[in-house]
Amino acid sequence: MPFGDTTDFADTDRGFIAKLEPGIIKDAKGNTVWDDDSYGFLQGSCPNSVNPSLWRQSQLVVKQGLYEVVPGIYQIRGLDLSNMTIIEGRTGIIVIDPLISVETAKAGLELYRSKRGDKPVVGLIYTHSHVDHFGGAMGVTTAEDAASGKVPVIAPQGFMEHAVAENIFAGTAMARRSAYMYGAALPRGEKGQVGAGLGMTTSTGTVSLIAPTKDVTHTGQTENIDGVEIVFQITPGTEAPSEMNFYFPGFRAMCMAENATHTLHNILTLRGALVRDAHVWSQYLTETINMFAAKSDVAFASHHWPTWGNDKLTEWLQLQRDTYGYLHDQTLRMLNQGYTGIEIAEMIQMPPAIEAKWYNHGYYGTVSHDVKAIYQRYMGWFDGNPAHLWEHPPVENAKRHVAAMGGASGVLKTARKAYSDGDYRWAVQALNYLIFAEPDNEKAKMLQASAFEQLGYGSESGPWRNFYLSGAYELRNGNFGTPTKANSVSMISALSVDQVFDSAAFLVNGPKAWDLKLVNDWVITDQNQTYRTELRNGVLIHYVKPADFSGPAPDATFTLPRLKLIAVMTGAQDIVKEIQNGSIKVSGDPAKLAQLKSVLDKPDPNFNIVTP
C-alpha cells in the first residue's frame, strides 16, 4: 500500500476554518448524540489490533469542522456519518444533505454561522434517499417554510417513496443490523470501534423528514435558487434507488452525492437493502464525466473530502467508474463459467491501477461482499447445486454438523486447532454449528468471540470490523439490542395511505389470519379518496375504490384524515377513543378493526444474530 502518498492528509486539511469545540453534541435532555472527541486515540500510531489501512482512513475521516471547498461553498465534516454542504447565494444559503439528526445539523449550521454570518437558509437539497442525507432537515429549516415556498426542498424523483419505504418496511431489521455495521454499542478504542470507513459512526439524535417541494425528474434539469444555477443528473439505481449528482456552473464545482467517494462502496450494504446495480452505477459515472468533468475545478461528495484539480478529479471519477464496472463485468464473466458468488469473491483480482489508489480500497464496501451482491442480483440465493436447494435451517443444520464432528468436544477440538493455526474463518464456522446446536455452551461462545475479534482486527473494512467485534461483544456480554430508533415521528407521518396499508400487510401473522375475512372502507377526508382493505387467506390487500364500484358492502367504514389513519394504525392513538371523541367517524361494526389488529405481529428490534 502506498503509505508514502500523503496527499489525502493535505486535502482533508485544505480549507479548514474552525472546528466544533468540544466535539460533542447533546440533545435537549442532555444525552450525547455525537462525540467526535472519543476518537482522540486515533492520533497515535497504529496498534496491532487495527488494519493499518483502516487506521489511516479513520485518521482522515475523524477530522471535523467547517471547511471551505472554494469561496462560496463550505462543508461541515466530521459531525455525523455524512457531510453537510452549504452554498452561498445572493441573500442566503442552500443546504445540501442535513446529516442524520436534527441536533448535529443544527450544530453544524451554528458553526458555519459563527464564522460566515447569520445567513438565512433559502434552499434545501437532498442528494438521495438514505437517512444520513435528510434526517437533520428540521435542524436547518422548518416544514412551514418549506410548504410556503420560502425554502424550496429539492430531491430526485421517487425520493419520498424510497426514503420512507426503506426505513419503515424493513426498518426494524435494518436498524438491528446497523447496530452491528456501525458498531454502535462497541467501546471506542484500538480494540473496539475505530470508524466505519464512510464516516466514524451514526449520530443518535432526532431523525426528521421534510417532504420535497420540487422533484428532479430528468438529467439536464436546471434550477436557480437565490441566484445559484444548478444542473442536475439523475442516477437512479446507483448507490440509492433515488439519487442525483449535480453541477454548479458559477463555481465550476460538481457534487457527486454518494456515487463517488474515497472508498469502494456497497453493492449490497451489510445492514440490508435493495441490491444496487453496479453496471448502471458505472454507466452513470461515465455520463457524469462526459457532462461535468471537463468544466470542473473541484468535485465534492456527501462523505469524505473534496478532490481539487481537473486532472485529479477526472482520474478519480474514471477509476471509481472502472472499479464498479470491473466488479460487475468480471462477476458476470465468471458466473457464466459456472462459478458461484462465494467462489468468485475468492478468485477475483482487481487491476493494479485500481488497487494503487486509496479511494478504491474497501473501507466500507468490499470486493468480497460486492461480488456476492452482484451474483445475487442476477442469480438469487440459490447457487444451482441441488445439495443447497433444501438444506436444514440453522439450528437443525447445526445439530447434525455437531453430531458428525464428534459432538461438542469434537467441534471444540477442531475450532481450537483452527484458532491456533490462524484459520479464524474455519474456527468461527465450526463454532457457529456448536453455538446454534447448544446455545448455552460458554466455551464455544468465548472461543468464537476471540476468533471474531481476530477477524475484526485484520479487517480493512470498517463495517466488517464492526460486525465481527459486535458479534464478539454480544457473545461475551449479551444482546445489546438496537441502540438507534428504526424510524421517527416525522418519517412515519410521511407515509402515504398506500404505504400505511402496506406496512400493516407486512405484519399480518398469516396462520392466525387464514380463516379471518374482513372488508373495511377508509374514507380519507383530506385526499377525497376511499380505500378498501380486504383480509382473506392471511393476506391484507388494499385498493382505491372506483366510482362505479359494485363489490360487497364493507363490514365497517371509517372516515378520517391521513395522519389520523397513521396514528391509529401504528398504535400511536387508540381508535376506540378517537371514535368516541368524534375524530373518526364510523358506520357498520367497528369491532372488525380490532379483529384485524389482533392478527398483526409486532417487530422485534432485539432479535438474536450470533445465537439462535
Side-chain angles (χ1 to χ4, degrees):
M1 296 179 185
F3 282 98
D5 180 2
T6 59
T7 303
D8 288 338
F9 286 91
D11 284 348
T12 55
D13 290 334
R14 179 170 173 172
F16 174 75
I17 296 173
K19 66 187 300 185
L20 184 70
E21 295 183 303
I24 299 171
I25 301 170
K26 298 186 177 183
D27 63 16
K29 295 180 179 180
N31 299 312
T32 298
V33 302
W34 183 258
D35 185 359
D36 196 69
D37 292 349
S38 64
Y39 292 101
F41 64 89
L42 286 167
Q43 302 311 310
S45 58
C46 181
N48 290 337
S49 55
V50 185
N51 185 297
S53 183
L54 177 60
W55 185 265
R56 174 190 180 277
Q57 179 78 350
S58 294
Q59 287 183 316
L60 294 165
V61 175
V62 76
K63 294 174 182 285
Q64 61 95 343
L66 172 67
Y67 296 81
E68 182 183 74
V69 179
V70 295
I73 300 180
Y74 299 85
Q75 282 194 313
I76 303 295
R77 302 203 292 268
L79 295 189
D80 213 319
L81 182 71
S82 50
N83 299 335
M84 183 168 74
T85 303
I86 294 172
I87 312 296
E88 295 181 343
R90 279 198 303 256
T91 64
I93 58 175
I94 304 162
V95 174
I96 302 171
D97 287 355
L99 310 181
I100 294 176
S101 302
V102 170
E103 294 85 356
T104 55
K106 182 180 179 182
L109 183 60
E110 289 174 350
L111 177 61
Y112 165 83
R113 285 174 169 166
S114 71
K115 301 300 178 182
R116 296 292 300 168
D118 192 14
K119 301 174 184 179
V121 174
V122 296
L124 179 60
I125 300 175
Y126 304 138
T127 60
H128 61 290
S129 53
H130 291 154
V131 70
D132 52 323
H133 304 274
F134 66 78
M138 292 184 183
V140 299
T141 189
T142 65
E144 292 74 19
D145 281 351
S148 70
K150 182 179 178 181
V151 179
V153 181
I154 299 177
Q157 188 174 39
F159 170 87
M160 282 296 284
E161 174 190 353
H162 294 293
V164 173
E166 177 168 300
N167 289 281
I168 301 295
F169 290 175
T172 300
M174 284 187 181
R176 172 72 171 120
R177 283 170 50 160
S178 290
Y180 266 55
M181 182 169 173
Y182 296 106
L186 295 175
R188 309 273 169 84
E190 63 181 44
K191 291 189 175 180
Q193 209 266 11
V194 300
L198 194 66
M200 297 315 296
T201 187
T202 54
S203 65
T204 56
T206 306
V207 175
S208 64
L209 175 60
I210 297 175
T213 59
K214 179 180 284 291
D215 287 344
V216 175
T217 61
H218 61 277
T219 293
Q221 181 173 331
T222 302
E223 302 291 339
N224 192 298
I225 303 176
D226 198 36
V228 177
E229 183 182 0
I230 312 170
V231 183
F232 293 93
Q233 176 203 12
I234 58 169
T235 63
T238 52
E239 192 271 337
S242 173
E243 189 151 357
M244 62 185 183
N245 304 324
F246 39 96
Y247 176 69
F248 297 93
F251 295 98
R252 288 181 59 85
M254 67 168 80
C255 173
M256 290 306 302
E258 208 165 323
N259 289 322
T261 58
H262 288 269
T263 179
L264 170 63
H265 216 295
N266 294 295
I267 304 303
L268 176 57
T269 176
L270 300 180
R271 65 178 166 81
L274 298 176
V275 181
R276 298 157 187 174
D277 189 338
H279 182 55
V280 162
W281 197 331
S282 177
Q283 289 181 319
Y284 276 126
L285 285 175
T286 295
E287 184 178 67
T288 304
I289 294 165
N290 292 338
M291 287 182 68
F292 303 137
K295 49 189 178 183
S296 296
D297 296 324
V298 65
F300 61 90
S302 299
H303 295 274
H304 302 142
W305 51 95
T307 300
W308 288 270
N310 185 265
D311 290 343
K312 282 181 61 180
L313 70 85
T314 301
E315 180 187 43
W316 170 60
L317 290 173
Q318 288 173 338
L319 287 176
Q320 287 263 292
R321 182 265 319 274
D322 294 349
T323 298
Y324 299 114
Y326 187 88
L327 286 170
H328 175 271
D329 296 351
Q330 294 306 305
T331 301
L332 265 289
R333 176 180 68 84
M334 286 189 269
L335 76 81
N336 279 312
Q337 293 175 341
Y339 295 105
T340 64
I342 195 169
E343 290 171 329
I344 299 168
E346 295 293 308
M347 296 166 60
I348 194 168
Q349 293 181 304
M350 299 301 289
I354 288 175
E355 278 286 291
K357 297 295 183 180
W358 289 110
Y359 51 70
N360 290 324
H361 279 248
Y363 302 116
Y364 193 53
T366 69
V367 169
S368 178
H369 74 256
D370 279 357
V371 163
K372 294 167 189 171
I374 295 167
Y375 183 91
Q376 177 181 326
R377 181 178 180 87
Y378 286 96
M379 305 302 290
W381 65 269
F382 181 45
D383 63 5
N385 184 339
H388 302 148
L389 185 58
W390 194 32
E391 292 182 341
H392 288 285
V395 170
E396 293 304 315
N397 199 4
K399 290 177 180 178
R400 288 160 175 78
H401 274 82
V402 169
M405 296 171 71
S409 60
V411 176
L412 285 169
K413 181 179 180 181
T414 297
R416 286 178 181 133
K417 183 179 186 305
Y419 187 91
S420 65
D421 290 344
D423 189 356
Y424 306 118
R425 294 168 71 179
W426 173 229
V428 299
Q429 184 178 345
L431 290 164
N432 194 62
Y433 297 138
L434 182 51
I435 292 167
F436 272 70
E438 299 180 11
D440 295 327
N441 192 310
E442 289 300 313
K443 291 181 179 179
K445 289 196 288 187
M446 294 305 101
L447 182 55
Q448 189 183 52
S450 295
F452 276 156
E453 286 162 350
Q454 294 304 315
L455 288 168
Y457 297 160
S459 296
E460 185 178 38
S461 164
W464 277 39
R465 177 186 176 91
N466 292 334
F467 256 88
Y468 284 129
L469 297 189
S470 293
Y473 186 93
E474 288 201 334
L475 288 167
R476 295 191 188 281
N477 302 286
N479 189 317
F480 55 65
T482 303
T484 56
K485 292 183 178 180
N487 46 56
S488 66
V489 173
S490 61
M491 194 175 299
I492 291 173
S493 67
L495 287 166
S496 67
V497 175
D498 286 310
Q499 288 174 325
V500 171
F501 291 131
D502 279 339
S503 297
F506 303 154
L507 299 178
V508 172
N509 184 313
K512 281 187 179 180
W514 284 345
D515 299 321
L516 189 59
K517 293 185 178 180
L518 298 174
V519 178
N520 291 317
D521 281 351
W522 305 81
V523 181
I524 310 301
T525 54
D526 51 344
Q527 294 185 188
N528 294 318
Q529 285 183 313
T530 299
Y531 285 77
R532 169 153 289 194
T533 58
E534 298 180 18
L535 180 66
R536 49 185 295 165
N537 299 318
V539 179
L540 181 67
I541 64 168
H542 74 274
Y543 51 89
V544 176
K545 283 181 67 175
D548 58 349
F549 186 75
S550 59
D555 297 315
T557 298
F558 302 90
T559 302
L560 69 176
R562 180 183 65 88
L563 289 178
K564 187 66 67 176
L565 173 70
I566 293 172
V568 297
M569 291 301 288
T570 59
Q573 294 179 0
D574 183 273
I575 191 167
V576 174
K577 292 181 180 178
E578 297 305 306
I579 291 172
Q580 290 173 345
N581 66 28
S583 297
I584 299 175
K585 296 179 180 179
V586 61
S587 61
D589 183 4
K592 294 292 185 181
L593 183 61
Q595 287 183 280
L596 170 61
K597 298 191 80 170
S598 72
V599 298
L600 299 183
D601 278 349
K602 290 185 177 180
D604 178 7
N606 303 315
F607 58 81
N608 289 335
I609 292 179
V610 290
T611 57

